[in-house]
Amino acid sequence: MDQALESKIVARGKQFFQSIRGEAPSIFNKGFWTGKVMDWAMKNEDFKVQLFRFVDVLPYLTTSDALRRHIEEYFTGDGAADIPAVLKWGAEKSGMFGGLAAAVMGKAIRSNIEGMAKGFIIGQTAKEAVKSIKKLRKDGFAFTVDLLGEATMSEAEADAYRDGYLEVLSAIAKEQPSWPALGGGKGDLDWGHAPRVNVSIKPSALFSQAKPVDMEGSIAGILSRLVPVYRATKAMGGALCIDMEAVKYKEMTLELFKRLRADPEFRDYPRLSVVLQAYLTDTERDLADLLAFARAEKLPIGIRLVKGAYWDFETVVAKQMGWEVPVWTKKPETDAAYERLSTEILRHCDMVYFQAASHNIRTISQVMETAKALGVPESRYEFQALFGMAEPVRKGLLAVAGRVRLYCPYGELLPGMAYLVRRLLENTANESFLRQSFADGQTEDLLLENPLATLERETARASSPRPSESTRPATPAATPKAANVPPPFANHPMPDFTIPGLRAAFPKALAEVRACFGRTIPLVIGGKEVVTADTLASVNPADPDEVVARVCQAGTVEIDQAVAAAKAAFPAWRDTPPENRAAVLFRAADIARGRIVELSAMQVLEVGKQWDQAYADVAEAIDFLEYYAREMIRLGAPRRMGNQPGEHNHLFYEPKGPVAVIAPWNFPLAISCGMSAAAVVAGNCVIFKPSGLASAVGHGLCEIFRQAGLPDGVFNFCPGRGSVMGDHLVAHPDIAMIAFTGSMDVGLRIMEKAARVAPGQAYCKRVVAEMGGKNAIIIDDDADLDEAVSAVLTSAFAFQGQKCSACSRVVVLEPIYDKFTARIKEAAESVKIGPAEDPSNFMGPVVDENQRQTVLGYADIARAEGRILVERHTQGKGFFAPLVIVDGITPEHRIAQEEVFGPILAVMKAKTFDEAIDMANSTRFALTGGVFSRSPKNLEAAKKRFRVGNLYLNRNITGALVERQPFGGARMSGVGSKAGGPDYLLQFMDPRVVTENTIRRGFTPIDEGDDWFE
Ligand SMILES: Cc1cc2nc3c(=O)[nH]c(=O)nc-3n(C[C@H](O)[C@H](O)[C@H](O)COP(=O)(O)OP(=O)(O)OC[C@H]3O[C@@H](n4cnc5c(N)ncnc54)[C@H](O)[C@@H]3O)c2cc1C
């Protein structure tokens, strides 16, 4: 730490505070409704949550009835008695409350909150924006204008976003000649060096299909709309800054920045900036990379340095997905990173025009004093703040530095409310400099402290024992864990395609898998490979001329051999200790982890799964192995029942015997592995019949188990034609149990066959069957459409809708029906369709010609029963079925009742939420369902009345995770308990109880745990 510089920073900060003494940002001014409500929110976390959620939903409450209902739902009820008083305060103040109707109060509350939002945006139209800009410039502030928008779900929306920019630029173009330059700058430039026109733009809003897995396609898509905006900006002599959003867009943003900067059309125009976020732990590396680029290309660049606006989001997402958290987790770490980054940028002021964006007086003072110490000319840096935030700070900045630019969002109130929520969060966060300075009254010394010192102090405090602890006797050391106890279960991380290594691994693995195409896959019975004369070609659904493998087919003879092998292996495997059986699963999980990309690539080519979907499937298989292994260890120990002395009752579980596992093609590894792993770890032996459409993937499972050391005969790989060997396997007298996942028709047939007792049969066969679904998502009239449209699209069409959990019906409340259908239509028209091998494609081919014909047949039915909103056909060699969205559907229609297992979505209209639930429940199935609503009451109602096995609120309805979302349905969706849940293994075992009388002629040994006297 440079002490001299440090003292100057603190002195500068004190001076700054002195210059704004007694002032507070308007949001903290308790004399106004906003300040009062904010004050309450900061004191009362529950109220804060409710308030911010209410602000978020407000633009959707278009009728006074909806408004009243939501006010009641959000702000009344237990423990919230005095909350409405705060809200009413505004109404009372404005003289509108007190004896007047609730509708009037609602109106007043709405106008207060809209007023709050307007405090952060400069206008709702381009005209208003230009007017406000003019005024700000009169007050001495430069601007950068930003167009607010909803999440871009379609190419039409991306076009509209681009056009919005072109519109505001053209409005500014007309006005700007009349604006005198700021700071006495000569000519057209503010402060003598900065263009008067400045635009900030969110890259992801310019392309609806932007995703890390398709880096090149995303960059091209964004640039196609960014270039016209930059061209228009350049024509006006303006500057453009590319905002930085969530970390998933970071790499593409930095790359497109470099490409745009180096583009021959713009090389000579050095008015392009990009944002870096100090809270990302990788940003120092990114800065070094940008500096190297600028120097190598001899291209001056601009950098706006911020701390970062998505801290909560990034941490929560990383935790949910099992990823490393990408941001610093302690506030002073971010502050310190900002200071290091700003120093480095200032050192390179010959190549970088620096825009320091912060409302933190310590941060600002550090930039000022460091720039001075390094002798950076004032023309090489400026300060920036958000419009509507930290008014005293921006005023102080203007007085001291002169060069202050305000970030000025404009746009409609709907996206304006989402922006308001972000700003409210930023102002009221415990760690916020503004809150600590202007609401919590933190001392200046602490506010101006060097963040490294703060960090040291806070770390020391966290690690020193609390007084009460230091006087307490030391707690005895925790009981040492048994050496072989596994760590707690954790899901395998979801694929993170921001990692370049993962993106590069896929094409390589696809090539390797393809290189082995055409091989013959044998059966494996009793540990021996068995080659049959009959083989079945498994083909690539995107190009059926490509034979993935020729798979040997078991007939009844081979099935008899396999059942005999399983029966022979059973006694030894049954008597293998549960921990040892679990150990095989742990080894199998390790092997699958090591081969995850290769196993995914096989699915991409054999069944047409997109990269992320295929990876998630393998990840789920790993989860099943890890979870069921732990479950078996848990269930493996005999449990004592009761505690009466003189009597020992022990409950324990025993495997059932040979189990037939009949698996589907749609989750070819995960479901195959889940059913097999459960059977095997419970001590059973398996005859595994993979789907004929996914037998190469199925063989992968066989290899994994073999490599993991599963004894011969415990897992027998028997692909075969259902018509030839299916009934024989199910009806075989030595089969104890059938675990099946697939269609309802086949599932019901299995149950019927299994119920018949064959001569010599020693088991009552148990059938666990996961069957179909006709799953619905309800869109309430207050649903967040950004989220709902995206979730319905993914739930209905990812992997071509070929999931039993997929959404095939969407029930939309009347008031929002037109808006929803318009957006889902545009969104579905925007997705790319083509082979799953190409990661830019959102949807691929269905699995085979039969499936294609089925979908085509249902497309005809949809056309006859409703009105087609979207019908997208794809040309190509593969089994491409149309993506269809049909509306005007009612519960009686076939398209609302029958499972299609393909990319067809029926849209239904409901008048009330109750009716929507009735419609959703109106099929024979009960597998998954979803609700998008911001009404607490309706969400509660759905929990009670929407009767499906897995109900998802405000998210997509596919992708259940092992342990977190145990999966399975009821009614015609299946029998058995939930896969990946705590009851699943019990189905593969029979419970036994042994009771022993321990009394010998009155002598009774008393055991620990007996009900005995102290
Ligand atoms: C002109 C301008 C443009 C902007 N453009 C962007 C942009 O493109 N992208 C973007 O993401 N943001 C952008 N922002 C928003 C900006 O990120 C926030 O306003 C800023 O983080 C607030 O920082 P501060 O220094 O003003 O306040 P402080 O109160 O000093 O810092 C708050 C920040 O600290 C960080 N933080 C909070 N808690 C923790 C914690 N526990 N551990 C680690 N770090 C923590 C967060 O980044 C939080 O925002 C912009 C801001 C301005 C002024």
Side-chain angles (χ1 to χ4, degrees):
M1 205 183 288
D2 176 341
Q3 276 312 334
L5 178 60
E6 185 55 33
S7 310
K8 285 185 186 158
I9 294 170
V10 174
R12 163 75 69 182
K14 294 223 159 175
Q15 225 178 339
F16 203 123
F17 271 120
Q18 182 60 33
S19 74
I20 57 170
R21 182 94 52 230
E23 297 185 39
S26 52
I27 194 147
F28 297 121
N29 188 336
K30 285 188 232 167
F32 293 102
W33 188 86
T34 302
K36 204 165 173 65
V37 170
M38 281 300 101
D39 182 48
W40 191 258
M42 284 186 281
K43 288 182 184 142
N44 182 333
E45 192 58 32
D46 289 345
F47 173 64
K48 180 170 152 179
V49 171
Q50 291 302 86
L51 175 70
F52 290 6
R53 287 184 168 188
F54 180 71
V55 171
D56 176 54
V57 72
L58 184 65
Y60 281 76
L61 310 179
T62 48
T63 64
S64 57
D65 183 50
L67 185 62
R68 181 197 48 74
R69 187 163 58 83
H70 282 77
I71 290 174
E72 227 172 80
E73 288 182 29
Y74 276 74
F75 301 114
T76 58
D78 295 347
D82 51 351
I83 286 173
V86 180
L87 281 169
K88 282 174 199 164
W89 192 79
E92 282 166 2
K93 271 275 161 206
S94 53
M96 298 171 83
F97 189 67
L100 288 188
V104 178
M105 184 186 91
K107 218 168 143 193
I109 289 171
R110 180 200 293 281
S111 93
N112 273 324
I113 291 180
E114 287 181 356
M116 241 181 187
K118 285 179 191 153
F120 291 101
I121 59 181
I122 57 164
Q124 292 183 54
T125 61
K127 204 169 149 200
E128 282 175 21
V130 173
K131 207 168 142 199
S132 300
I133 285 169
K134 204 167 154 184
K135 181 167 178 315
L136 286 174
R137 288 185 61 82
K138 265 209 178 115
D139 294 342
F141 294 104
F143 72 91
T144 180
V145 68
D146 158 73
L147 174 56
L148 293 169
E150 295 169 80
T152 298
M153 296 305 307
S154 68
E155 290 302 272
E157 288 172 6
D159 281 343
Y161 193 68
R162 174 203 57 209
D163 294 345
Y165 271 97
L166 296 175
E167 185 194 354
V168 77
L169 280 171
S170 114
I172 290 173
K174 284 191 202 115
E175 288 281 325
Q176 77 148 333
S178 65
W179 295 339
L182 293 176
K186 291 186 193 66
D188 288 346
L189 298 174
D190 285 340
W191 319 310
H193 67 270
R196 286 173 301 180
V197 176
N198 194 303
V199 183
S200 291
I201 195 159
K202 301 226 168 344
S204 77
L206 292 167
F207 182 47
S208 64
Q209 306 301 304
K211 51 186 174 183
V213 70
D214 177 27
M215 202 52 80
E216 275 306 312
S218 303
I219 292 169
I222 294 169
L223 278 176
S224 72
R225 294 194 179 89
L226 182 56
V227 165
V229 176
Y230 191 41
R231 196 174 283 139
T233 311
K234 182 183 168 198
M236 300 163 65
L240 184 140
C241 181
I242 303 174
D243 281 354
M244 192 61 80
E245 303 167 83
V247 72
K248 78 171 176 172
Y249 297 119
K250 184 191 76 172
E251 189 184 336
M252 69 180 78
T253 303
L254 291 174
E255 184 55 32
L256 71 90
F257 167 77
K258 287 195 245 172
R259 292 199 197 169
L260 188 59
R261 183 66 195 90
D263 186 314
E265 184 183 348
F266 303 110
R267 266 190 98 81
D268 298 332
Y269 193 71
R271 306 288 195 202
L272 189 67
S273 299
V274 69
V275 173
L276 289 182
Q277 296 156 319
Y279 67 8
L280 293 178
T281 53
D282 270 354
T283 296
E284 279 164 86
R285 208 180 57 202
D286 293 333
L287 174 61
D289 180 64
L290 274 183
L291 293 172
F293 159 82
R295 297 229 172 264
E297 296 278 336
K298 299 193 173 43
L299 292 173
I301 58 172
I303 294 178
R304 173 196 296 154
L305 186 63
V306 303
K307 284 179 192 161
Y310 309 86
W311 188 87
D312 302 66
F313 175 80
E314 300 290 12
T315 42
V316 170
V317 167
K319 281 191 178 294
Q320 284 194 358
M321 304 298 247
W323 299 338
E324 212 174 295
V325 174
V327 291
W328 298 109
T329 53
K330 298 192 178 80
K331 166 75 163 53
E333 289 177 325
T334 297
D335 293 336
Y338 193 104
E339 297 195 1
R340 284 194 301 276
L341 289 159
S342 66
T343 306
E344 183 66 1
I345 296 171
L346 288 167
R347 280 202 187 105
H348 291 267
C349 65
D350 59 321
M351 288 307 273
V352 186
Y353 180 67
F354 181 32
Q355 296 135 70
S358 169
H359 312 108
N360 181 322
I361 293 175
R362 157 78 204 189
T363 307
I364 293 168
S365 304
Q366 185 270 344
V367 172
M368 285 179 173
E369 289 306 317
T370 307
K372 219 161 127 193
L374 294 173
V376 178
E378 291 200 341
S379 61
R380 299 304 295 156
Y381 66 105
E382 65 177 51
F383 294 90
Q384 300 191 344
L386 297 174
F387 176 81
M389 295 265 293
E391 295 93 328
V393 177
R394 79 184 199 197
K395 196 175 124 196
L397 260 174
L398 192 63
V400 182
R403 304 175 313 284
V404 186
R405 186 178 307 284
L406 299 184
Y407 186 95
C408 299
Y410 92 97
E412 290 169 10
L413 268 187
L414 197 149
M417 285 297 170
Y419 181 77
L420 172 64
V421 172
R422 284 208 297 280
R423 296 287 76 89
L424 293 181
L425 273 172
E426 186 172 326
N427 273 294
T428 57
N430 287 336
E431 302 274 21
S432 154
F433 179 88
L434 294 175
R435 173 177 174 167
Q436 290 183 352
S437 310
F438 299 106
D440 294 351
Q442 182 66 278
T443 65
E444 281 177 17
D445 285 340
L446 283 180
L447 290 167
L448 294 173
E449 186 177 46
N450 185 311
L452 290 175
T454 314
L455 194 59
E456 213 172 289
R457 194 166 42 75
E458 289 184 356
T459 313
R461 196 178 53 201
S463 56
S464 67
R466 278 173 279 154
S468 55
E469 279 173 356
S470 59
T471 52
R472 237 184 274 150
T475 41
T479 328
K481 288 214 168 104
N484 56 357
V485 173
F489 172 81
N491 297 102
H492 186 86
M494 288 289 112
D496 179 1
F497 287 107
T498 65
I499 299 170
L502 183 59
R503 290 202 304 274
F506 262 83
K508 194 166 158 270
L510 287 164
E512 281 165 12
V513 168
R514 185 167 263 124
C516 298
F517 269 10
R519 76 199 154 116
T520 300
I521 295 179
L523 316 179
V524 180
I525 296 175
K528 295 202 175 51
E529 295 193 345
V530 176
V531 176
T532 57
D534 182 18
T535 61
L536 183 72
S538 173
V539 301
N540 175 358
D543 178 359
D545 292 342
E546 282 193 311
V547 174
V548 173
R550 291 180 202 289
V551 184
C552 291
Q553 299 293 291
T556 51
V557 174
E558 288 79 16
I559 290 300
D560 288 345
Q561 290 168 356
V563 175
K567 203 173 160 187
F570 178 62
W573 184 241
R574 176 195 58 207
D575 296 339
T576 303
E579 292 76 15
N580 296 11
R581 299 198 300 255
V584 177
L585 263 57
F586 288 133
R587 285 198 293 276
D590 275 343
I591 295 164
R593 258 190 296 273
R595 292 176 49 195
I596 190 163
V597 179
E598 176 215 325
L599 293 166
S600 310
M602 178 57 94
Q603 297 196 23
V604 173
L605 293 171
E606 195 180 27
V607 297
K609 273 202 175 194
Q610 290 72 29
W611 295 11
D612 56 343
Q613 303 277 326
Y615 189 102
D617 183 277
V618 185
E620 190 180 355
I622 295 168
D623 286 353
F624 279 131
L625 291 164
E626 292 279 353
Y627 181 72
Y628 291 147
R630 285 170 173 77
E631 279 295 284
M632 193 58 234
I633 294 172
R634 175 176 74 87
L635 295 168
R639 206 165 6 133
R640 182 169 176 196
M641 313 300 286
N643 60 354
Q644 285 68 21
E647 176 182 287
H648 278 180
N649 305 294
H650 278 109
L651 172 86
F652 56 96
Y653 299 99
E654 271 201 355
K656 295 178 79 68
V659 174
V661 170
I662 303 175
W665 48 264
N666 66 335
F667 285 91
L669 194 68
I671 294 182
S672 302
C673 179
M675 293 192 293
S676 303
V680 160
V681 80
N684 304 285
C685 295
V686 165
I687 297 93
F688 169 55
K689 179 201 164 318
S691 159
L693 298 167
S695 294
V697 172
H699 186 248
L701 177 63
C702 180
E703 281 176 346
I704 291 170
F705 277 144
R706 264 220 284 195
Q707 249 180 297
L710 198 62
D712 292 347
V714 176
F715 183 79
N716 301 281
F717 176 67
C718 292
R721 297 170 205 273
S723 56
V724 175
M725 51 68 107
D727 286 353
H728 187 74
L729 174 61
V730 169
H732 199 292
D734 287 335
I735 287 289
M737 175 176 175
I738 299 117
F740 166 80
T741 302
S743 72
M744 182 181 75
D745 292 343
V746 177
L748 295 177
R749 184 186 167 93
I750 288 175
M751 283 181 231
E752 201 181 318
K753 295 265 169 224
R756 282 207 201 114
V757 179
Q761 182 174 321
Y763 306 97
C764 285
K765 294 182 187 184
R766 177 177 290 162
V767 178
V768 170
E770 293 225 33
M771 306 189 294
K774 188 71 198 170
N775 313 304
I777 296 182
I778 295 174
I779 313 292
D780 200 356
D781 57 8
D782 62 357
D784 179 334
L785 285 191
D786 285 355
E787 307 245 329
V789 170
S790 156
V792 171
L793 205 64
T794 308
S795 304
F797 303 119
F799 190 39
Q800 301 70 265
Q802 303 170 117
K803 301 179 184 180
C804 52
S805 55
C807 168
S808 56
R809 298 176 296 148
V810 57
V811 185
V812 189
L813 269 287
E814 199 167 15
I816 208 167
Y817 191 84
D818 291 344
K819 251 191 193 166
F820 175 82
T821 48
R823 284 194 83 189
I824 190 98
K825 175 175 158 54
E826 284 181 349
E829 279 165 351
S830 301
V831 298
K832 269 186 78 187
I833 304 176
E837 221 179 314
D838 173 353
S840 70
N841 290 323
F842 172 79
M843 208 182 95
V846 293
V847 76
D848 70 352
E849 183 55 25
N850 279 343
Q851 198 66 22
R852 198 175 87 87
Q853 289 304 330
T854 304
V855 176
L856 287 171
Y858 275 104
D860 289 342
I861 295 171
R863 232 172 276 118
E865 292 184 334
R867 188 172 64 98
I868 297 291
L869 283 181
V870 180
E871 180 165 353
R872 291 191 58 197
H873 290 266
T874 310
Q875 300 307 318
K877 265 182 165 182
F879 304 124
F880 288 101
L883 179 162
V884 176
I885 302 182
V886 54
D887 87 337
I889 297 300
T890 55
E892 303 71 47
H893 285 136
R894 283 184 66 189
I895 208 75
Q897 291 295 332
E898 296 172 19
E899 189 180 30
V900 181
F901 224 64
I904 297 192
L905 176 68
V907 190
M908 304 158 86
K909 192 189 279 184
K911 280 200 163 29
T912 63
F913 193 76
D914 277 349
E915 190 190 11
I917 294 188
D918 289 343
M919 281 181 167
N921 281 334
S922 68
T923 72
R924 295 196 287 166
F925 299 100
L927 188 52
T928 66
V931 178
F932 277 85
S933 174
R934 285 179 282 193
S935 156
K937 209 169 127 213
N938 287 353
L939 290 172
E940 270 315 306
K943 283 185 206 169
K944 287 201 188 107
R945 289 194 46 226
F946 191 165
R947 293 201 165 78
V948 287
N950 287 67
L951 178 66
Y952 299 90
L953 306 179
N954 291 318
R955 55 152 279 179
N956 60 325
I957 65 169
T958 57
L961 290 173
V962 170
E963 195 198 39
R964 272 152 69 182
Q965 293 119 13
F967 181 79
R971 297 168 65 188
M972 286 311 221
S973 290
V975 285
S977 60
K978 286 177 173 295
D983 309 325
Y984 192 71
L985 276 196
L986 296 175
Q987 304 173 112
F988 292 80
M989 298 185 282
D990 292 322
R992 287 182 53 202
V993 172
V994 174
T995 297
E996 183 185 353
N997 172 13
T998 59
I999 311 174
R1000 299 278 190 283
R1001 295 189 182 280
F1003 166 65
T1004 310
I1006 300 303
D1007 284 342
E1008 199 183 334
D1010 276 354
D1011 177 13
W1012 202 242
F1013 310 101
E1014 288 289 306

